[in-house]
Amino acid sequence: MSWNLKRSADRLSRFWGTLAFRLTAWYVLAGVALVIFTTASLYFLLVAELQKSTDLFLADKINVVRTMLRERPDDTDALREEIELESAARRYQQFYIRLLDERNIPLLTTPGMAEQLDLPRLTIQTQSSPERAKSVKGKNGRPFFVMSAPAVVGGSAYSDTIEIAIDVSQQEALLARYRQRFWLILLGTLAVFPLVGYQIARRGIRPVKEVARIARHISSTNLHERIQPEGYPSELASLAATFNNMLDGLEESFDRISRFSADIAHDLRTPVNIIRGEAEVALARARTVEEYREVLGSCLEEGVRLSNLIGDLLFLARAESPLAHLHRESIDIGELLSGIREYYEAPAAERGVFLTTEVPLTPVIAQLDRTLLQRAVGNLVSNALAHTPPGKSVVLGASAEAASIRIEVSDAGEGIPPEALPRVFDRFFRVDESRSQASGGTGLGLAIVQGIMLLHGGKVEIASQLGQGTQVTLSIPVSPAA
Ligand SMILES: Nc1ncnc2c1ncn2[C@@H]1O[C@H](COP(=O)(O)OP(=O)(O)OP(=O)(O)O)[C@@H](O)[C@H]1O
Ligand SMILES: [Mg+2]
């Protein structure tokens, strides 16, 4: 029982936390406030208008009697007709007039007035304001508006008093009906607005739910799914577009990672298979010491290849870690390039390629990690040598700019096809799979160069023309903080 209660309390509190509920609550609040405001102001306007028209009517009547007293004080018949007959003949909005002399003794009275109103009190009650009628309760509870005014008789110094009272029970009934309707309208508003408001709110936030639904069921297997933002309001369309962009990025990264894993598996399998095959063949029968030596030599070669590959992968993983740090030291770039040229002189000569350096006369000095930079430039040189035909040359250049230094390795080799150019920095990417595999390249060289530049806060750019040659440029900021 208490568990059930707790569950419904939970559900209720979750409902209170929803956007639909909050929007509905605001709709209802605003709607009810508007209804109360408009109906109440109309009501008070009506009350004021009724009061005004009653005032005018009473003042008008008083004026008629006053004029008669002033103009024709001796025409008692006309006065009697006005006071006793005309008003008594009315059915609707019955009114009563009384004319009192100076000593407050009644001269003329509309018949029936004494039955409706407490006459001695009336005189005291009406004395306050002559322009505005006063509300007074009649003898049998009926509401009256009363007004009184002095009236000069003829040209004399005498002044009579006119008292007039009008039955406003019809008006009161009208206002009572109005008030009753007001409560009905308010109740109706309270009943209908939450329903309408909730529907509007739900309709408004439907796209948000849609986005949430798609986001919820997207996993690595259906990263290609996208939200269709057609018909969404612009705010939500931009949310959907942002979400789709994020999915684009995720999908691309995911593809790259899958490709990368497949490539690693493939590249690790080849040397392992070679080692395994050699060992199996060697063990198939007894071998001479010479044969064993050869097999072990070959296994060692593959082992070295494997460990280099694993070393490269580890290096790349570390280069991307934010915790990686450099051993910076002052390096003369010209000297560094000369060292690299010397190192690659023999293989270049073997291929019949000329290897030269072009550095400015003034030394270019920068704070860099020597080992890593040697490795980066070395990778570029070995690429250039591998793709340059005999008789052509490879140039190592350096130059200093305001805030950075540039190292350029350019060759006059075969070049890279434009469609492959954007991918050469990808791990394991080789333009010509079959040829590079045979020549021993793993496709990690340029990725490592890029990793080293990342660590130095620099960048690497490649430009190439098929059949003309390739230039790779490293730009590294001089100050480490830059
Ligand atoms: N100077 C160049 N001229 C022509 N093609 C190049 C040049 N440099 C790189 N490439 C192409 O880009 C590909 C990727 O180069 P990268 O250095 O990353 O790998 P790799 O040289 O094949 O292998 P690794 O450097 O790991 O031994 C190469 O396979 C090659 O096809
Ligand atoms: Mg390479």
Side-chain angles (χ1 to χ4, degrees):
M1 177 65 187
S2 75
W3 187 73
N4 260 350
L5 231 118
K6 194 172 169 301
R7 222 165 57 145
S8 15
D10 272 0
R11 204 174 301 159
L12 203 68
S13 75
R14 221 176 311 134
F15 178 64
W16 268 337
T18 62
L19 184 60
F21 172 77
R22 287 174 196 195
L23 284 177
T24 311
W26 281 112
Y27 283 138
V28 173
L29 225 70
V32 168
L34 194 73
V35 166
I36 290 179
F37 176 75
T38 39
T39 39
S41 48
L42 283 177
Y43 174 79
F44 288 116
L45 201 72
L46 182 66
V47 170
E49 284 300 315
L50 286 176
Q51 165 96 45
K52 202 165 123 193
S53 74
T54 311
D55 285 353
L56 284 177
F57 176 79
L58 296 181
D60 205 38
K61 278 287 157 210
I62 285 178
N63 232 7
V64 169
V65 179
R66 248 185 188 166
T67 314
M68 287 172 114
L69 277 175
R70 193 176 59 235
E71 304 295 333
R72 289 176 288 154
D74 304 323
D75 193 350
T76 338
D77 286 345
L79 206 59
R80 192 179 293 279
E81 189 179 322
E82 182 65 37
I83 292 174
E84 290 187 350
L85 298 179
E86 209 230 304
S87 56
R90 280 173 77 107
R91 292 262 153 265
Y92 175 70
Q93 281 214 312
Q94 181 86 53
F95 66 91
Y96 302 94
I97 304 177
R98 192 158 75 127
L99 187 64
L100 305 167
D101 70 6
E102 268 194 324
R103 287 159 297 159
N104 277 352
I105 293 169
L107 301 174
L108 283 170
T109 306
T110 307
M113 191 173 186
E115 280 92 75
Q116 295 293 343
L117 292 150
D118 183 0
L119 290 178
R121 270 187 74 208
L122 189 67
T123 313
I124 305 160
Q125 282 174 325
T126 52
Q127 263 161 9
S128 51
S129 60
E131 284 306 309
R132 219 179 137 79
K134 261 188 89 175
S135 171
V136 161
K137 272 267 173 286
K139 269 183 179 166
N140 36 26
R142 289 173 93 88
F144 281 90
F145 273 181
V146 295
M147 200 185 259
S148 76
V152 181
V153 185
S156 71
Y158 293 122
S159 175
D160 287 356
T161 301
I162 308 163
E163 282 180 352
I164 178 162
I166 184 163
D167 182 348
V168 288
S169 51
Q170 302 269 1
Q171 290 183 8
E172 287 290 311
L174 174 86
L175 291 177
R177 275 201 302 280
Y178 194 104
R179 285 193 297 272
Q180 201 181 20
R181 300 265 158 83
F182 164 75
W183 289 115
L184 281 178
I185 288 173
L186 197 65
L187 273 179
T189 308
L190 281 173
V192 172
F193 265 46
L195 295 178
V196 175
Y198 189 61
Q199 284 307 321
I200 295 174
R202 263 178 53 140
R203 192 175 270 265
I205 60 172
R206 196 181 295 155
V208 180
K209 282 194 164 176
E210 179 83 1
V211 172
R213 189 185 60 76
I214 294 178
R216 208 167 21 239
H217 96 272
I218 278 182
S219 68
S220 59
T221 50
N222 56 356
L223 270 178
H224 58 274
E225 283 204 18
R226 295 290 178 272
I227 299 166
Q228 304 302 327
E230 287 86 34
Y232 281 16
S234 58
E235 298 91 334
L236 292 175
S238 92
L239 173 72
T242 313
F243 189 71
N244 283 346
N245 279 347
M246 191 190 80
L247 284 179
D248 286 345
L250 272 181
E251 193 181 8
E252 202 190 298
S253 308
F254 202 79
D255 277 354
R256 207 169 334 120
I257 290 169
S258 327
R259 229 181 306 129
F260 181 49
S261 326
D263 289 340
I264 291 182
H266 179 264
D267 275 69
L268 290 178
R269 202 174 53 183
T270 316
V272 170
N273 277 350
I274 293 174
I275 293 173
R276 188 181 160 179
E278 299 241 358
E280 274 171 2
V281 170
L283 289 175
R285 59 179 172 84
R287 305 275 175 188
T288 63
V289 173
E290 233 6 83
E291 281 171 327
Y292 281 128
R293 191 182 289 276
E294 202 178 304
V295 169
L296 278 178
S298 160
C299 286
L300 180 65
E301 205 177 292
E302 292 305 324
V304 169
R305 227 171 106 99
L306 260 180
S307 96
N308 283 345
L309 174 63
I310 293 168
D312 283 351
L313 287 172
L314 271 177
F315 174 81
L316 279 171
R318 280 202 210 108
E320 280 177 0
S321 145
L323 295 173
H325 52 268
L326 299 171
H327 302 288
R328 287 184 188 265
E329 54 185 304
S330 264
I331 294 177
D332 180 344
I333 303 296
E335 228 174 73
L336 183 101
L337 294 188
S338 302
I340 294 171
R341 186 181 60 86
E342 270 167 37
Y343 184 82
Y344 281 97
E345 201 134 56
E350 208 175 287
R351 282 191 59 92
V353 174
F354 304 106
L355 191 57
T356 54
T357 52
E358 272 177 17
V359 290
L361 288 174
T362 48
V364 180
I365 311 278
Q367 295 284 322
L368 305 169
D369 187 314
R370 183 185 293 275
T371 324
L372 291 185
L373 209 69
Q374 268 170 347
R375 189 168 183 186
V377 180
N379 279 357
L380 298 181
V381 174
S382 89
N383 277 355
L385 290 180
H387 299 281
T388 305
K392 299 279 170 116
S393 54
V394 171
V395 182
L396 301 181
S399 57
E401 283 171 9
S404 66
I405 55 150
R406 284 159 70 91
I407 299 174
E408 207 172 80
V409 177
S410 39
D411 63 62
E414 65 201 35
I416 301 168
E419 68 277 5
L421 210 54
R423 293 191 56 202
V424 288
F425 292 107
D426 285 0
R427 293 161 193 196
F428 292 110
F429 178 78
R430 291 174 289 241
V431 172
D432 182 350
E433 290 286 330
S434 54
R435 195 197 60 216
S436 293
Q437 186 75 53
S439 71
T442 52
L444 290 175
L446 287 178
I448 288 173
V449 174
Q450 198 175 40
I452 292 170
M453 285 304 100
L454 192 78
L455 283 173
H456 281 89
K459 63 175 194 246
V460 50
E461 284 163 319
I462 190 163
S464 185
Q465 279 219 307
L466 212 54
Q468 304 270 312
T470 307
Q471 297 83 44
V472 186
T473 312
L474 309 179
S475 326
I476 314 164
V478 175
S479 94

